[in-house]
Amino acid sequence: QLRLMESGGGSVQAGNSLTLSCEPSGDTSTTYCMAWFRRSAGKEVEGVAAIYFNSGTIELSDSVKGRFTASQDSSKKTLYLQMNSLEPADTAMYVCAARARKPFRGPVSCLARSSLNDWGQGTQVTVSS
């Protein structure tokens, strides 16, 4: 089981940028993926970015493509979410998650909440107009 520690949230005005970090603690040698989700009042939990450890592939949700990017520190496995051109609709609790092991039945999308095993506490992002 991984412990996930998020940081970097805050309050910004629309149009500005923030970078979130998620540092895992524990054995990441079998980790399949890490991802960022967000949840806000009145909306479903949404997966916004995922990185698959074996391939290094980054998957972004359509709602953030062109504005958000994800990257990973190769040594510490820290996952970053660079958020540009922030909008009030991006206001949410951003939560980091991980899937510990490769799925038995073939690839899964780590933008789907059910694919993830371990969850952080989250970091709040508030965007004002």
Side-chain angles (χ1 to χ4, degrees), residues 54-67:
N54 273 358
S55 65
T57 300
I58 296 172
E59 184 179 9
L60 296 171
S61 69
D62 288 342
S63 63
V64 303
K65 281 180 182 176
R67 299 188 300 121

Side-chain angles (χ1 to χ4, degrees), residues 9-126:
S11 297
V12 297
Q13 289 192 321
N16 284 352
S17 300
L18 276 177
T19 300
L20 305 183
S21 301
C22 174
E23 182 172 355
S25 295
D27 184 4
T28 59
S29 63
T30 61
T31 300
Y32 178 71
C33 66
M34 287 177 64
W36 283 103
F37 285 75
R38 63 185 181 185
R39 62 172 186 261
S40 56
K43 296 182 181 179
E44 292 188 5
V45 173
E46 179 188 14
V48 296
I51 187 164
Y52 298 83
F53 275 36
N54 273 358
S55 65
T57 300
I58 296 172
E59 184 179 9
L60 296 171
S61 69
D62 288 342
S63 63
V64 303
K65 281 180 182 176
R67 299 188 300 121
F68 291 12
T69 59
S71 61
Q72 187 175 41
D73 175 276
S74 59
S75 58
K76 295 184 178 180
K77 305 301 182 186
T78 299
L79 179 66
Y80 300 99
L81 183 67
Q82 174 69 42
M83 306 185 294
N84 300 321
S85 302
L86 282 162
E87 304 168 352
D90 296 317
T91 295
M93 178 69 75
Y94 284 73
V95 184
C96 182
R99 182 183 178 95
R101 297 186 183 278
K102 182 179 177 180
F104 292 115
R105 297 182 179 178
V108 298
S109 172
C110 290
L111 292 186
R113 187 170 56 170
S114 60
S115 299
L116 289 301
N117 307 114
D118 300 320
W119 294 83
Q121 295 298 309
T123 185
Q124 178 68 35
V125 172
T126 302

